Amino acid sequence: MKLHEYQAKGLLREYGIPVPDGSVASTPAEARSIARKIGGTVMVKAQVLVGGRGKAGGVKMATSPEEAEARARDILGMKIKGIEVTKVLVARAVDIASEFYVSLTVDRSARSVQCIASASGGMEIEEVAAREPEKIVRIALDPEAGLVKARHFDALARAFSGKGVAEQAWDIVENMYRLFSDKDCSLVEINPCALDRAGNLVAADAKIIFDDNALYKHPELESFRSTEEYSADEMDARSNGLSYVGLDGSIGCIVNGAGLSMATMDLIKFAGGSPANFLDVGGSSSPDKVFHALRIILKNPRVTAVLINIFGGITRCDDIARGILMAREKLTLRVPLVIRLIGTNEKEGRELLAAAGIDAYDDLSEAVKGVVDRAKETA
Ligand code: GDP
Ligand code: MN
């Protein structure tokens, strides 16, 4: 889950990292009143979950509240990488002397958290890596020991050179690490980490991504969730324990297991069809999950047929069958369902379906061919 800059900065502030004052606005008038409260020069910054806002014209300086209002009017409603800007952050402008980069990420190959720092801040780190790789400092942090000053300070100081700057950078990184560990992040990035003309380091921009697999441990983080990152259907699916990603085809898919879901989508493409979604009902599928999966898929007007592909291991085919029958009772099944059911409790599942006059395939390629044909007939 990604945070907006204003949300990320709020967390950095909670963790004792210096952040310029600021608030978020959704109208030009609000932007003006925030700028007035802050006083002096401010930055008006588009709040969208993509990088490179500066280059796209989504970050503008304003020297008065009236100018802040005008800049907010320019930026609100603008599209950055296809995403409409509905909020701007109005923040005190930092009088920047130089821009640094610092982040913490998970380095999978080193099986550890990695701190990346560079004196070339402001631009994207990939660009620095391509142009001047010698300017990037990478510090692998032992998962047990974490960040240790005696061990890691000198490396950090190579990126943050200058009197007193390395000490400030150290404090920032220590607090970033605390935040990173407490909240199970996959990224905490400050770029630019700006040195102002008075000699203070501050977070002028911030990016935080939480590890979705650890979110269950942090219910307090749910309030950060942006609807723009997920569609309404994706939110609906998530709250019913389903993994769902919307796509633009016509064949709705309900599958158990992410691997089998991917394989099923490949087979549909191979047979000349096009999947409307990825949907994994998971291992311990209850009839409820199948019901909600069908309910969500059938909301999509592009769907002209649905394939249910279950390879029962932990998943029991009779549970799946009960879910299908529940859906048939409560929903209008406006398109054909093609079912492939094998594995645990297959016989019971098939019997339940047969009693309601529903057939199920056991061969996957036949089922896929069947659903592709039906989708074309219905379209
Ligand atoms: P991004 O383009 O989405 O990464 O947005 P940033 O917040 O990083 O802003 C892009 C660039 O705008 C920065 O690298 C700075 O050069 C400039 N900028 C952002 N905030 C300030 C500020 O407070 N003062 C000054 N002088 N420049 C800023
Ligand atoms: Mn930035």
Side-chain angles (χ1 to χ4, degrees):
M1 176 163 105
K2 291 183 187 172
L3 294 196
H4 283 292
E5 176 189 6
Y6 75 94
Q7 299 171 315
K9 283 178 163 174
L11 266 182
L12 294 185
R13 199 178 280 126
E14 265 180 48
Y15 275 78
I17 295 168
V19 171
D21 288 344
S23 286
V24 76
S26 29
T27 64
E30 267 180 87
R32 183 185 56 206
S33 96
I34 295 166
R36 178 169 300 126
K37 262 186 225 138
I38 292 173
T41 304
V42 295
M43 303 299 296
V44 181
K45 311 179 74 177
Q47 298 298 287
V48 283
L49 297 171
V50 290
R53 297 164 303 161
K55 274 188 207 150
V59 176
K60 291 266 164 40
M61 194 177 265
T63 54
S64 67
E66 291 67 35
E67 206 185 332
E69 178 175 3
R71 294 295 80 77
R73 187 166 289 122
D74 298 340
I75 294 172
L76 287 165
M78 154 182 182
K79 282 202 168 171
I80 299 182
K81 296 184 183 163
I83 301 174
E84 189 179 339
V85 181
T86 59
K87 286 189 285 267
V88 291
L89 170 65
V90 181
R92 182 188 304 285
V94 182
D95 188 7
I96 299 182
S98 53
E99 298 183 296
F100 296 88
Y101 173 95
V102 61
S103 70
L104 295 173
T105 52
V106 176
D107 179 355
R108 286 165 181 268
S109 52
R111 300 183 197 86
S112 70
V113 173
Q114 179 171 237
C115 173
I116 300 176
S118 172
S120 299
M123 54 181 134
E124 296 195 14
I125 194 68
E126 291 81 4
E127 226 176 286
V128 184
R131 279 207 252 151
E132 24 183 25
E134 70 287 351
K135 290 229 177 125
I136 296 181
V137 172
R138 293 168 199 275
I139 311 169
L141 303 176
D142 180 274
E144 291 272 323
L147 197 63
V148 181
K149 198 164 187 181
R151 225 189 265 178
H152 303 128
F153 182 81
D154 289 352
L156 187 69
R158 264 189 278 132
F160 286 87
S161 55
K163 198 162 160 275
V165 176
E167 284 292 342
Q168 292 183 62
W170 180 261
D171 287 346
I172 289 176
V173 173
E174 259 192 336
N175 288 323
M176 284 168 76
Y177 188 69
R178 213 157 42 84
L179 164 61
F180 190 95
S181 315
D182 282 2
K183 306 290 186 198
D184 290 300
C185 299
S186 55
L187 175 75
V188 175
E189 181 188 76
I190 301 180
N191 184 30
C193 186
L195 180 67
D196 68 15
R197 291 192 196 278
N200 300 308
L201 266 188
V202 295
D205 184 17
K207 248 188 219 158
I208 292 180
I209 304 177
F210 298 128
D211 179 349
D212 285 346
N213 295 312
L215 277 176
Y216 75 96
K217 291 196 265 178
H218 308 287
E220 79 282 5
L221 300 179
E222 273 309 309
S223 63
F224 284 120
R225 191 179 294 284
S226 302
T227 45
E228 94 189 45
E229 195 181 354
Y230 302 95
S231 68
D233 289 346
E234 284 167 352
M235 300 281 272
D236 184 351
R238 173 178 286 270
S239 65
N240 285 293
L242 305 165
S243 289
Y244 174 95
V245 180
L247 300 166
D248 50 18
S250 61
I251 299 177
C253 305
I254 298 177
V255 190
N256 66 316
L260 187 60
S261 299
M262 300 299 284
T264 305
M265 291 162 56
D266 282 350
L267 285 171
I268 289 174
K269 279 269 183 193
F270 190 67
S274 160
N277 63 276
F278 166 101
L279 189 152
D280 172 11
V281 286
S284 59
S285 51
S286 63
D288 270 353
K289 280 196 181 176
V290 178
F291 165 74
H292 287 296
L294 270 168
R295 178 181 61 73
I296 291 164
I297 284 176
L298 291 170
K299 280 198 282 180
N300 178 351
R302 283 194 311 271
V303 167
T304 55
V306 175
L307 173 64
I308 300 179
N309 178 21
I310 302 298
F311 187 96
I314 300 170
T315 305
R316 295 165 28 155
C317 293
D318 55 330
D319 276 344
I320 300 290
R322 278 189 198 94
I324 295 169
L325 297 178
M326 189 198 296
R328 203 167 77 148
E329 203 172 293
K330 296 190 189 168
L331 304 169
T332 312
L333 301 182
R334 57 174 180 83
V335 301
L337 296 190
V338 174
I339 301 161
R340 183 256 186 161
L341 206 57
I342 59 165
T344 309
N345 289 7
E346 174 180 337
K347 187 166 159 284
E348 291 84 343
R350 282 177 187 278
E351 279 169 9
L352 283 168
L353 292 178
I358 304 172
D359 285 333
Y361 288 89
D362 53 12
D363 183 85
L364 179 54
S365 30
E366 280 172 28
V368 167
K369 190 179 172 307
V371 78
V372 170
D373 289 347
R374 304 301 295 278
K376 284 186 184 147
E377 284 163 19
T378 321

